[in-house]
Amino acid sequence: MAADPEPRLVSARPVLRARATLRLAGLMAAAVAVLSLGAMALQYRLVATRLTEAQKDLLSADLSGLGALYDQRRIIALRQAIDYRAASGGQELLLLTDRHGRILAGTEDRWPADVAPQGAGFDLSTPQEITRGTDRWMVVARELPGGFGLLAGRPLAPVDATLAALRQGMIGLALALLAAAALVGWIAARQVMGRIGRLNRLADQVAAGDLEARLPGPRKPDEFGLLETHMHHMLDRIESLNRATHRLSDTIAHEMRTPLNRMATRLSAIKDQENTVSQLREEMRGAIRIFDALLDISRAEADQGSGGGLLPVDLSSLAEGVWELYEAAAEEKGLIPVADIAPGLMVLGDRTLISQMLANLLDNAIKYCAPGDRLGLTLSPGPLHLLEIADSGPGLPRGMGDEIFERFTRADRDRGIRGHGLGLALVRAIAMRHGAKLSLPATDQGLTLRLEWQPLPLAEAGCLRREYLDQEEMPLPLD
Protein backbone atom coordinates (compact mmCIF):
# COMPACT_ATOMS: atom_id res chain seq x y z
CA MET A 1 0.00 0.00 0.00
CA ALA A 2 2.36 2.67 -1.21
CA ALA A 3 1.75 5.71 -3.34
CA ASP A 4 4.89 6.42 -5.25
CA PRO A 5 4.62 9.89 -6.75
CA GLU A 6 7.65 9.28 -8.90
CA PRO A 7 6.71 6.81 -11.63
CA ARG A 8 9.24 4.11 -12.24
CA LEU A 9 8.08 2.84 -15.61
CA VAL A 10 11.41 1.65 -16.90
CA SER A 11 14.47 0.56 -15.01
CA ALA A 12 17.44 1.96 -16.89
CA ARG A 13 20.10 0.48 -14.69
CA PRO A 14 23.07 -0.51 -16.90
CA VAL A 15 23.54 -3.81 -15.07
CA LEU A 16 20.05 -5.00 -15.91
CA ARG A 17 20.39 -3.92 -19.54
CA ALA A 18 23.75 -5.63 -19.79
CA ARG A 19 22.44 -8.89 -18.41
CA ALA A 20 19.64 -9.24 -20.96
CA THR A 21 21.63 -8.02 -23.95
CA LEU A 22 24.79 -9.89 -23.11
CA ARG A 23 22.79 -13.05 -22.48
CA LEU A 24 21.29 -12.75 -25.96
CA ALA A 25 24.71 -12.06 -27.49
CA GLY A 26 26.15 -15.00 -25.55
CA LEU A 27 23.40 -17.31 -26.83
CA MET A 28 24.06 -16.19 -30.41
CA ALA A 29 27.80 -16.70 -30.02
CA ALA A 30 27.22 -20.13 -28.46
CA ALA A 31 24.88 -21.09 -31.31
CA VAL A 32 27.47 -20.06 -33.90
CA ALA A 33 30.17 -21.93 -32.02
CA VAL A 34 28.06 -25.11 -31.71
CA LEU A 35 27.18 -25.05 -35.41
CA SER A 36 30.82 -24.49 -36.32
CA LEU A 37 31.99 -27.31 -34.05
CA GLY A 38 29.32 -29.60 -35.50
CA ALA A 39 30.45 -28.80 -39.03
CA MET A 40 34.08 -29.48 -38.10
CA ALA A 41 33.13 -32.78 -36.42
CA LEU A 42 31.29 -33.86 -39.57
CA GLN A 43 34.27 -32.89 -41.73
CA TYR A 44 36.58 -34.82 -39.41
CA ARG A 45 34.39 -37.90 -39.70
CA LEU A 46 34.34 -37.70 -43.50
CA VAL A 47 38.13 -37.36 -43.67
CA ALA A 48 38.65 -40.29 -41.31
CA THR A 49 36.31 -42.47 -43.36
CA ARG A 50 37.98 -41.47 -46.62
CA LEU A 51 41.49 -42.21 -45.36
CA THR A 52 40.41 -45.59 -43.98
CA GLU A 53 38.76 -46.47 -47.28
CA ALA A 54 42.03 -45.60 -49.06
CA GLN A 55 43.92 -48.06 -46.88
CA LYS A 56 41.27 -50.67 -47.57
CA ASP A 57 41.70 -50.13 -51.29
CA LEU A 58 45.47 -50.67 -50.99
CA LEU A 59 44.98 -53.84 -48.96
CA SER A 60 42.40 -55.08 -51.44
CA ALA A 61 44.87 -54.52 -54.27
CA ASP A 62 47.54 -56.49 -52.34
CA LEU A 63 45.16 -59.40 -51.86
CA SER A 64 44.17 -59.36 -55.51
CA GLY A 65 47.81 -59.50 -56.57
CA LEU A 66 48.59 -62.35 -54.18
CA GLY A 67 45.48 -64.17 -55.36
CA ALA A 68 46.59 -63.91 -58.99
CA LEU A 69 50.02 -65.38 -58.16
CA TYR A 70 48.41 -68.20 -56.17
CA ASP A 71 46.19 -69.06 -59.11
CA GLN A 72 49.26 -69.37 -61.36
CA ARG A 73 51.82 -71.17 -59.21
CA ARG A 74 50.21 -71.76 -55.82
CA ILE A 75 52.31 -71.59 -52.66
CA ILE A 76 55.65 -71.31 -54.42
CA ALA A 77 54.68 -68.11 -56.17
CA LEU A 78 53.25 -66.67 -52.96
CA ARG A 79 56.42 -67.48 -51.03
CA GLN A 80 58.66 -65.86 -53.64
CA ALA A 81 56.52 -62.75 -53.87
CA ILE A 82 56.34 -62.33 -50.09
CA ASP A 83 60.10 -62.86 -49.73
CA TYR A 84 60.70 -60.22 -52.36
CA ARG A 85 58.37 -57.66 -50.78
CA ALA A 86 59.71 -58.35 -47.28
CA ALA A 87 63.19 -57.72 -48.53
CA SER A 88 62.13 -54.40 -50.08
CA GLY A 89 61.15 -53.04 -46.63
CA GLY A 90 57.73 -51.69 -47.62
CA GLN A 91 55.15 -50.47 -45.10
CA GLU A 92 53.03 -53.61 -45.16
CA LEU A 93 52.45 -56.76 -43.16
CA LEU A 94 52.82 -60.12 -45.02
CA LEU A 95 53.18 -63.60 -43.57
CA LEU A 96 52.99 -67.15 -45.01
CA THR A 97 53.03 -70.29 -42.80
CA ASP A 98 52.85 -74.01 -43.42
CA ARG A 99 50.23 -76.36 -42.00
CA HIS A 100 52.22 -76.60 -38.73
CA GLY A 101 52.43 -72.83 -38.26
CA ARG A 102 56.08 -72.53 -39.22
CA ILE A 103 57.00 -69.30 -40.99
CA LEU A 104 57.75 -69.83 -44.71
CA ALA A 105 58.07 -66.14 -45.69
CA GLY A 106 57.04 -62.74 -44.44
CA THR A 107 57.85 -59.49 -42.71
CA GLU A 108 57.31 -60.98 -39.25
CA ASP A 109 58.94 -63.86 -37.42
CA ARG A 110 55.74 -65.24 -35.94
CA TRP A 111 51.99 -65.25 -36.43
CA PRO A 112 50.14 -62.62 -34.29
CA ALA A 113 48.43 -64.28 -31.33
CA ASP A 114 45.28 -62.09 -31.60
CA VAL A 115 44.57 -62.92 -35.25
CA ALA A 116 42.79 -66.07 -36.44
CA PRO A 117 42.36 -67.06 -40.13
CA GLN A 118 38.88 -66.36 -41.49
CA GLY A 119 37.95 -67.79 -44.88
CA ALA A 120 40.06 -69.04 -47.78
CA GLY A 121 39.60 -66.41 -50.49
CA PHE A 122 41.70 -63.41 -51.47
CA ASP A 123 38.93 -60.85 -50.99
CA LEU A 124 38.72 -58.01 -48.42
CA SER A 125 35.79 -59.41 -46.43
CA THR A 126 36.16 -59.65 -42.59
CA PRO A 127 39.17 -57.30 -42.18
CA GLN A 128 40.51 -56.96 -38.63
CA GLU A 129 42.28 -54.18 -36.72
CA ILE A 130 45.22 -55.10 -34.50
CA THR A 131 47.67 -53.05 -32.49
CA ARG A 132 51.41 -53.62 -32.66
CA GLY A 133 53.24 -51.37 -30.28
CA THR A 134 51.58 -47.96 -30.63
CA ASP A 135 50.44 -48.45 -34.23
CA ARG A 136 47.19 -49.81 -35.58
CA TRP A 137 47.05 -52.21 -38.52
CA MET A 138 44.26 -53.40 -40.80
CA VAL A 139 44.84 -57.10 -41.57
CA VAL A 140 43.17 -60.01 -43.39
CA ALA A 141 44.04 -63.63 -42.39
CA ARG A 142 43.25 -66.66 -44.58
CA GLU A 143 43.73 -70.41 -44.40
CA LEU A 144 44.70 -71.63 -47.88
CA PRO A 145 44.15 -75.16 -49.17
CA GLY A 146 46.63 -77.57 -47.59
CA GLY A 147 46.54 -75.74 -44.24
CA PHE A 148 48.82 -72.86 -45.30
CA GLY A 149 48.23 -69.59 -43.48
CA LEU A 150 48.34 -66.20 -45.18
CA LEU A 151 48.34 -62.83 -43.41
CA ALA A 152 48.24 -59.49 -45.28
CA GLY A 153 47.90 -56.04 -43.68
CA ARG A 154 48.29 -52.32 -44.13
CA PRO A 155 49.33 -49.82 -41.45
CA LEU A 156 46.78 -47.29 -40.19
CA ALA A 157 49.53 -45.02 -38.80
CA PRO A 158 49.30 -42.60 -41.79
CA VAL A 159 45.55 -42.31 -41.14
CA ASP A 160 46.09 -41.68 -37.42
CA ALA A 161 48.85 -39.11 -38.08
CA THR A 162 46.68 -37.24 -40.57
CA LEU A 163 43.70 -37.28 -38.21
CA ALA A 164 45.86 -36.09 -35.29
CA ALA A 165 47.09 -33.15 -37.34
CA LEU A 166 43.51 -32.44 -38.42
CA ARG A 167 42.30 -32.53 -34.80
CA GLN A 168 45.01 -30.11 -33.71
CA GLY A 169 44.07 -27.72 -36.50
CA MET A 170 40.39 -27.99 -35.67
CA ILE A 171 40.99 -27.26 -31.98
CA GLY A 172 42.89 -24.11 -32.89
CA LEU A 173 40.19 -23.12 -35.35
CA ALA A 174 37.46 -23.79 -32.76
CA LEU A 175 39.21 -21.58 -30.19
CA ALA A 176 39.58 -18.86 -32.81
CA LEU A 177 35.89 -19.20 -33.71
CA LEU A 178 34.84 -18.97 -30.06
CA ALA A 179 36.96 -15.87 -29.54
CA ALA A 180 35.65 -14.30 -32.75
CA ALA A 181 32.03 -15.17 -31.86
CA ALA A 182 32.47 -13.69 -28.37
CA LEU A 183 34.04 -10.52 -29.81
CA VAL A 184 31.35 -10.10 -32.45
CA GLY A 185 28.64 -10.81 -29.86
CA TRP A 186 30.13 -8.25 -27.47
CA ILE A 187 30.31 -5.60 -30.20
CA ALA A 188 26.72 -6.34 -31.26
CA ALA A 189 25.57 -6.23 -27.64
CA ARG A 190 27.30 -2.88 -27.10
CA GLN A 191 25.54 -1.40 -30.09
CA VAL A 192 22.14 -2.77 -29.06
CA MET A 193 22.69 -1.60 -25.46
CA GLY A 194 23.53 1.87 -26.72
CA ARG A 195 20.35 2.11 -28.74
CA ILE A 196 18.22 0.68 -25.91
CA GLY A 197 19.94 3.01 -23.46
CA ARG A 198 18.76 6.04 -25.47
CA LEU A 199 15.17 4.81 -25.20
CA ASN A 200 15.53 4.05 -21.49
CA ARG A 201 16.94 7.50 -20.75
CA LEU A 202 14.04 9.06 -22.63
CA ALA A 203 11.55 6.93 -20.68
CA ASP A 204 13.18 7.96 -17.39
CA GLN A 205 12.92 11.64 -18.31
CA VAL A 206 9.24 11.25 -19.22
CA ALA A 207 8.59 9.25 -16.04
CA ALA A 208 10.18 12.10 -14.05
CA GLY A 209 7.59 14.47 -15.53
CA ASP A 210 9.47 15.97 -18.48
CA LEU A 211 6.96 15.38 -21.24
CA GLU A 212 8.94 17.64 -23.58
CA ALA A 213 11.98 15.34 -23.49
CA ARG A 214 13.02 13.94 -26.88
CA LEU A 215 15.94 11.94 -28.22
CA PRO A 216 18.70 14.16 -29.61
CA GLY A 217 20.35 13.75 -32.99
CA PRO A 218 19.17 12.13 -36.24
CA ARG A 219 17.50 8.76 -36.26
CA LYS A 220 18.86 5.88 -38.35
CA PRO A 221 16.51 4.22 -40.88
CA ASP A 222 16.33 0.89 -39.04
CA GLU A 223 14.06 -0.83 -36.51
CA PHE A 224 15.35 1.22 -33.58
CA GLY A 225 14.98 4.42 -35.56
CA LEU A 226 11.39 3.48 -36.36
CA LEU A 227 10.75 2.72 -32.68
CA GLU A 228 12.21 6.11 -31.69
CA THR A 229 9.95 7.80 -34.25
CA HIS A 230 6.91 6.02 -32.82
CA MET A 231 7.89 7.03 -29.28
CA HIS A 232 8.24 10.65 -30.36
CA HIS A 233 4.81 10.58 -32.00
CA MET A 234 3.34 9.00 -28.87
CA LEU A 235 4.96 11.61 -26.61
CA ASP A 236 3.79 14.43 -28.89
CA ARG A 237 0.26 13.09 -28.60
CA ILE A 238 0.48 12.68 -24.82
CA GLU A 239 1.93 16.16 -24.40
CA SER A 240 -0.82 17.63 -26.56
CA LEU A 241 -3.55 15.83 -24.60
CA ASN A 242 -1.94 16.84 -21.31
CA ARG A 243 -1.83 20.48 -22.31
CA ALA A 244 -5.42 20.30 -23.47
CA THR A 245 -6.52 18.73 -20.19
CA HIS A 246 -4.74 21.33 -18.08
CA ARG A 247 -6.05 24.13 -20.26
CA LEU A 248 -9.59 22.82 -19.97
CA SER A 249 -9.33 22.42 -16.18
CA ASP A 250 -7.90 25.89 -15.74
CA THR A 251 -10.52 27.40 -18.00
CA ILE A 252 -13.41 25.70 -16.18
CA ALA A 253 -12.04 26.72 -12.78
CA HIS A 254 -11.48 30.34 -13.84
CA GLU A 255 -14.81 30.65 -15.65
CA MET A 256 -16.77 29.18 -12.73
CA ARG A 257 -14.99 31.10 -9.99
CA THR A 258 -15.66 34.51 -11.52
CA PRO A 259 -19.51 34.26 -11.66
CA LEU A 260 -19.52 32.74 -8.17
CA ASN A 261 -17.62 35.74 -6.84
CA ARG A 262 -20.08 38.07 -8.57
CA MET A 263 -23.04 36.21 -7.08
CA ALA A 264 -21.44 36.41 -3.62
CA THR A 265 -21.04 40.17 -4.07
CA ARG A 266 -24.65 40.63 -5.16
CA LEU A 267 -25.88 38.66 -2.17
CA SER A 268 -24.56 41.44 0.04
CA ALA A 269 -27.21 43.72 -1.40
CA ILE A 270 -30.10 41.51 -0.27
CA LYS A 271 -31.72 42.70 2.91
CA ASP A 272 -33.92 41.01 5.58
CA GLN A 273 -32.80 37.49 4.58
CA GLU A 274 -29.60 37.17 6.56
CA ASN A 275 -29.84 33.42 7.19
CA THR A 276 -30.48 32.57 3.57
CA VAL A 277 -27.75 34.91 2.40
CA SER A 278 -25.29 33.46 4.92
CA GLN A 279 -26.00 29.91 3.77
CA LEU A 280 -25.69 30.82 0.09
CA ARG A 281 -22.45 32.70 0.72
CA GLU A 282 -20.98 29.73 2.57
CA GLU A 283 -21.94 27.39 -0.28
CA MET A 284 -20.28 29.71 -2.78
CA ARG A 285 -17.13 29.98 -0.68
CA GLY A 286 -16.99 26.19 -0.59
CA ALA A 287 -17.36 25.99 -4.37
CA ILE A 288 -14.65 28.61 -4.82
CA ARG A 289 -12.31 26.66 -2.50
CA ILE A 290 -12.88 23.57 -4.65
CA PHE A 291 -11.93 25.46 -7.81
CA ASP A 292 -8.90 26.96 -6.05
CA ALA A 293 -7.80 23.50 -4.95
CA LEU A 294 -8.22 22.11 -8.46
CA LEU A 295 -6.15 24.96 -9.83
CA ASP A 296 -3.43 24.37 -7.22
CA ILE A 297 -3.32 20.66 -8.04
CA SER A 298 -3.21 21.40 -11.76
CA ARG A 299 -0.34 23.89 -11.33
CA ALA A 300 1.65 21.54 -9.10
CA GLU A 301 1.24 18.65 -11.56
CA ALA A 302 2.13 20.89 -14.50
CA ASP A 303 5.39 21.93 -12.78
CA GLN A 304 6.31 18.35 -11.88
CA GLY A 305 9.87 17.49 -12.86
CA SER A 306 10.71 20.99 -14.11
CA GLY A 307 12.61 22.01 -10.96
CA GLY A 308 11.97 25.65 -11.78
CA GLY A 309 11.05 28.04 -8.97
CA LEU A 310 12.45 25.84 -6.20
CA LEU A 311 14.71 27.39 -3.57
CA PRO A 312 16.60 26.07 -0.55
CA VAL A 313 14.08 25.54 2.25
CA ASP A 314 14.74 24.80 5.92
CA LEU A 315 12.34 21.89 6.20
CA SER A 316 12.92 21.59 9.96
CA SER A 317 11.99 25.23 10.64
CA LEU A 318 9.02 24.98 8.32
CA ALA A 319 7.71 21.82 9.96
CA GLU A 320 8.11 23.37 13.44
CA GLY A 321 6.13 26.43 12.34
CA VAL A 322 3.24 24.41 10.92
CA TRP A 323 3.31 22.06 13.90
CA GLU A 324 3.04 24.95 16.39
CA LEU A 325 -0.04 26.16 14.51
CA TYR A 326 -1.81 22.80 14.58
CA GLU A 327 -0.57 21.54 17.94
CA ALA A 328 -3.00 23.84 19.70
CA ALA A 329 -5.88 22.64 17.50
CA ALA A 330 -5.00 19.04 18.30
CA GLU A 331 -4.91 19.69 22.05
CA GLU A 332 -8.20 21.55 21.81
CA LYS A 333 -9.80 18.43 20.31
CA GLY A 334 -8.32 16.23 23.05
CA LEU A 335 -5.60 14.57 20.98
CA ILE A 336 -2.10 13.78 22.26
CA PRO A 337 0.34 15.65 20.00
CA VAL A 338 3.96 14.49 19.85
CA ALA A 339 6.63 16.00 17.63
CA ASP A 340 10.24 14.95 17.03
CA ILE A 341 11.82 17.29 14.47
CA ALA A 342 15.54 17.15 13.78
CA PRO A 343 16.95 20.67 13.27
CA GLY A 344 18.68 22.08 10.22
CA LEU A 345 17.39 19.72 7.50
CA MET A 346 17.45 21.51 4.15
CA VAL A 347 15.61 20.61 0.95
CA LEU A 348 15.04 22.29 -2.38
CA GLY A 349 11.41 23.32 -2.64
CA ASP A 350 8.62 25.84 -2.61
CA ARG A 351 8.02 26.96 0.97
CA THR A 352 4.36 27.87 0.37
CA LEU A 353 3.56 24.53 -1.25
CA ILE A 354 5.34 22.54 1.47
CA SER A 355 3.49 24.50 4.16
CA GLN A 356 0.23 23.81 2.33
CA MET A 357 1.03 20.12 2.22
CA LEU A 358 1.87 19.90 5.94
CA ALA A 359 -1.24 21.88 6.81
CA ASN A 360 -3.38 19.51 4.76
CA LEU A 361 -1.89 16.42 6.39
CA LEU A 362 -2.21 17.70 9.96
CA ASP A 363 -5.70 19.12 9.42
CA ASN A 364 -6.79 15.84 7.86
CA ALA A 365 -5.43 13.82 10.79
CA ILE A 366 -7.06 16.09 13.40
CA LYS A 367 -10.36 15.95 11.55
CA TYR A 368 -10.59 12.14 11.54
CA CYS A 369 -9.09 11.39 14.99
CA ALA A 370 -11.13 11.20 18.19
CA PRO A 371 -10.22 12.58 21.64
CA GLY A 372 -7.50 10.45 23.21
CA ASP A 373 -5.88 9.53 19.91
CA ARG A 374 -2.21 10.25 19.36
CA LEU A 375 -0.95 12.59 16.63
CA GLY A 376 2.76 12.64 15.80
CA LEU A 377 5.07 14.47 13.43
CA THR A 378 8.58 13.11 12.93
CA LEU A 379 11.37 14.55 10.80
CA SER A 380 14.67 12.68 10.77
CA PRO A 381 17.85 12.94 8.65
CA GLY A 382 19.30 10.23 6.46
CA PRO A 383 20.24 9.51 2.87
CA LEU A 384 16.70 10.77 2.30
CA HIS A 385 15.10 13.07 4.89
CA LEU A 386 12.17 11.19 6.37
CA LEU A 387 9.00 13.08 7.30
CA GLU A 388 6.16 11.09 8.88
CA ILE A 389 2.76 12.17 10.13
CA ALA A 390 1.14 9.36 12.10
CA ASP A 391 -2.03 9.09 14.12
CA SER A 392 -3.84 6.38 16.05
CA GLY A 393 -7.21 7.20 14.54
CA PRO A 394 -9.52 4.95 12.52
CA GLY A 395 -7.05 4.58 9.65
CA LEU A 396 -8.11 3.71 6.14
CA PRO A 397 -11.19 1.59 5.42
CA ARG A 398 -10.50 -1.99 4.39
CA GLY A 399 -9.63 -2.26 0.72
CA MET A 400 -8.69 1.41 0.30
CA GLY A 401 -5.09 2.28 -0.42
CA ASP A 402 -3.40 4.56 -2.89
CA GLU A 403 -6.72 5.68 -4.36
CA ILE A 404 -7.15 8.08 -1.43
CA PHE A 405 -4.73 10.35 -3.30
CA GLU A 406 -7.13 10.61 -6.25
CA ARG A 407 -9.29 13.71 -6.57
CA PHE A 408 -12.74 13.60 -4.95
CA THR A 409 -12.04 10.20 -3.37
CA ARG A 410 -13.64 9.69 0.03
CA ALA A 411 -14.63 6.64 2.05
CA ASP A 412 -18.35 5.96 2.43
CA ARG A 413 -18.03 6.09 6.23
CA ASP A 414 -16.64 9.68 6.00
CA ARG A 415 -19.46 11.18 3.93
CA GLY A 416 -20.75 13.04 6.99
CA ILE A 417 -17.41 14.74 7.66
CA ARG A 418 -16.60 18.07 6.06
CA GLY A 419 -14.44 17.83 2.96
CA HIS A 420 -14.39 17.19 -0.76
CA GLY A 421 -11.57 14.66 -1.16
CA LEU A 422 -9.06 17.12 -2.63
CA GLY A 423 -6.62 17.59 0.26
CA LEU A 424 -4.60 14.40 -0.24
CA ALA A 425 -4.72 14.83 -4.02
CA LEU A 426 -2.99 18.18 -3.52
CA VAL A 427 -0.51 16.54 -1.12
CA ARG A 428 0.48 14.04 -3.78
CA ALA A 429 0.74 16.76 -6.45
CA ILE A 430 3.01 18.83 -4.20
CA ALA A 431 5.14 15.78 -3.36
CA MET A 432 5.53 15.04 -7.08
CA ARG A 433 6.39 18.70 -7.70
CA HIS A 434 9.30 18.35 -5.24
CA GLY A 435 10.37 14.85 -6.28
CA ALA A 436 9.49 13.51 -2.81
CA LYS A 437 8.35 9.92 -2.45
CA LEU A 438 4.96 9.63 -0.75
CA SER A 439 3.91 6.30 0.74
CA LEU A 440 1.52 4.71 3.20
CA PRO A 441 3.57 2.31 5.33
CA ALA A 442 1.69 -0.51 7.04
CA THR A 443 0.70 0.19 10.64
CA ASP A 444 -1.11 -1.75 13.33
CA GLN A 445 -3.36 1.18 14.18
CA GLY A 446 -4.25 4.50 12.62
CA LEU A 447 -2.72 6.02 9.54
CA THR A 448 0.87 6.96 8.73
CA LEU A 449 1.95 9.03 5.72
CA ARG A 450 5.62 9.03 4.90
CA LEU A 451 7.49 11.51 2.73
CA GLU A 452 11.09 10.92 1.67
CA TRP A 453 12.96 14.05 0.57
CA GLN A 454 16.16 14.39 -1.32
CA PRO A 455 18.42 16.36 1.08
CA LEU A 456 20.08 19.58 0.01
CA PRO A 457 23.82 19.71 0.80
CA LEU A 458 24.80 22.45 3.23
CA ALA A 459 27.11 24.01 0.65
CA GLU A 460 24.16 24.53 -1.70
CA ALA A 461 21.95 25.68 1.13
CA GLY A 462 24.21 28.65 1.81
CA CYS A 463 22.16 30.84 -0.50
CA LEU A 464 19.10 30.49 1.77
CA ARG A 465 17.65 33.89 2.49
CA ARG A 466 16.34 34.40 5.98
CA GLU A 467 14.04 37.17 4.88
CA TYR A 468 12.40 34.83 2.41
CA LEU A 469 11.37 32.52 5.22
CA ASP A 470 10.02 35.35 7.30
CA GLN A 471 7.88 36.88 4.55
CA GLU A 472 5.93 33.76 3.65
CA GLU A 473 2.44 33.39 5.04
CA MET A 474 1.03 30.17 6.39
CA PRO A 475 -1.62 28.82 3.95
CA LEU A 476 -5.00 27.50 4.96
CA PRO A 477 -5.58 23.74 4.61
CA LEU A 478 -7.66 22.34 1.77
CA ASP A 479 -10.13 19.56 2.45
Side-chain angles (χ1 to χ4, degrees):
M1 189 172 65
D4 190 348
E6 183 178 351
R8 301 176 187 277
L9 300 179
V10 178
S11 176
R13 296 182 183 279
V15 174
L16 298 181
R17 288 202 309 269
R19 284 179 180 172
T21 309
L22 289 179
R23 185 167 55 245
L24 178 60
L27 287 175
M28 294 177 62
V32 172
V34 169
L35 290 176
S36 300
L37 291 176
M40 286 190 290
L42 179 60
Q43 183 67 23
Y44 176 84
R45 185 63 183 171
L46 291 176
V47 171
T49 301
R50 186 68 189 90
L51 292 176
T52 304
E53 290 296 328
Q55 293 301 101
K56 283 184 178 179
D57 292 340
L58 292 176
L59 182 57
S60 178
D62 290 343
L63 290 173
S64 297
L66 294 175
L69 292 174
Y70 182 79
D71 291 340
Q72 294 175 4
R73 297 169 54 195
R74 301 299 175 185
I75 295 300
I76 295 176
L78 283 180
R79 185 173 183 177
Q80 290 176 345
I82 292 174
D83 279 339
Y84 175 77
R85 294 172 66 171
S88 65
Q91 292 183 350
E92 56 188 347
L93 180 62
L94 292 171
L95 200 61
L96 180 65
T97 64
D98 61 12
R99 67 186 62 182
H100 301 292
R102 292 189 294 266
I103 302 299
L104 298 178
T107 58
E108 304 292 328
D109 55 2
R110 61 180 178 179
W111 187 274
D114 52 348
V115 176
Q118 295 179 349
F122 289 87
D123 55 69
L124 193 61
S125 61
T126 64
Q128 305 175 57
E129 283 191 15
I130 64 173
T131 302
R132 298 177 63 80
T134 57
D135 298 332
R136 295 187 306 126
W137 290 77
M138 179 186 296
V139 300
V140 173
R142 295 289 186 262
E143 182 177 354
L144 302 179
F148 294 94
L150 174 64
L151 179 66
R154 280 279 174 178
L156 294 176
V159 176
D160 293 340
T162 302
L163 293 179
L166 183 60
R167 284 196 301 270
Q168 187 175 4
M170 285 184 170
I171 291 173
L173 181 59
L175 293 176
L177 281 175
L178 288 175
L183 178 61
V184 172
W186 182 78
I187 293 175
R190 290 282 300 176
Q191 291 200 351
V192 173
M193 287 164 57
R195 304 294 297 276
I196 294 177
R198 280 166 52 89
L199 297 174
N200 280 331
R201 285 191 291 273
L202 174 62
D204 285 343
Q205 286 181 272
V206 174
D210 186 7
L211 293 180
E212 297 180 355
R214 297 293 184 273
L215 291 173
R219 288 184 288 280
K220 296 181 179 179
D222 54 14
E223 292 83 354
F224 283 103
L226 182 61
L227 178 59
E228 292 174 1
T229 301
H230 288 164
M231 288 190 68
H232 279 197
H233 290 166
M234 179 185 66
L235 291 174
D236 291 342
R237 181 61 175 162
I238 292 174
E239 186 183 8
S240 175
L241 292 175
N242 191 56
R243 280 200 302 266
T245 301
H246 284 296
R247 187 166 53 248
L248 178 62
S249 300
D250 290 350
T251 301
I252 291 175
H254 280 297
E255 294 300 325
M256 292 301 294
R257 189 172 58 174
T258 301
L260 286 172
N261 282 325
R262 291 175 183 166
M263 293 168 66
T265 302
R266 292 178 180 176
L267 283 175
S268 302
I270 299 177
K271 306 297 183 183
D272 301 330
Q273 298 183 36
E274 295 300 329
N275 291 336
T276 303
V277 170
S278 177
Q279 293 174 0
L280 290 174
R281 187 176 288 117
E282 182 60 29
E283 292 291 336
M284 290 180 180
R285 279 198 292 266
I288 292 172
R289 282 199 299 272
I290 292 175
F291 290 128
D292 287 339
L294 290 173
L295 285 172
D296 290 339
I297 294 172
S298 178
R299 292 192 191 100
E301 290 179 344
D303 292 336
Q304 176 195 350
S306 64
L310 301 182
L311 295 172
V313 173
D314 188 338
L315 185 59
S316 301
S317 175
L318 194 59
E320 288 176 357
V322 178
W323 175 254
E324 289 176 1
L325 183 65
Y326 283 89
E327 184 179 21
E331 291 175 344
E332 183 178 353
K333 190 173 180 179
L335 306 183
I336 305 173
V338 179
D340 183 10
I341 302 174
L345 302 186
M346 304 295 296
V347 298
L348 193 63
D350 184 309
R351 187 173 186 273
T352 302
L353 290 179
I354 297 175
S355 299
Q356 180 72 71
M357 181 180 65
L358 292 173
N360 277 19
L361 291 174
L362 291 174
D363 181 77
N364 197 63
I366 293 173
K367 185 166 55 179
Y368 289 99
C369 286
D373 283 334
R374 182 181 53 82
L375 172 63
L377 188 152
T378 304
L379 177 62
S380 55
L384 294 176
H385 294 334
L386 189 64
L387 175 66
E388 282 190 350
I389 295 180
D391 63 64
S392 59
L396 292 177
R398 184 182 299 275
M400 178 171 280
D402 294 345
E403 59 268 30
I404 66 169
F405 298 106
E406 299 296 333
R407 301 175 192 181
F408 300 109
T409 298
R410 304 191 70 197
D412 292 337
R413 70 176 190 194
D414 301 329
R415 295 296 178 186
I417 301 178
R418 174 180 55 86
H420 303 285
L422 292 173
L424 291 181
L426 181 58
V427 167
R428 184 176 67 170
I430 294 174
M432 294 169 67
R433 168 77 171 96
H434 291 80
K437 182 180 180 181
L438 176 64
S439 61
L440 295 170
T443 57
D444 296 333
Q445 183 182 3
L447 177 66
T448 299
L449 289 100
R450 176 179 297 167
L451 284 148
E452 296 175 68
W453 298 80
Q454 187 70 35
L456 182 66
L458 294 178
E460 298 182 24
C463 59
L464 177 64
R465 295 175 301 172
R466 187 70 237 175
E467 59 272 21
Y468 169 77
L469 298 177
D470 296 337
Q471 291 175 359
E472 293 296 319
E473 296 181 354
M474 193 67 66
L476 295 175
L478 295 175
D479 48 20

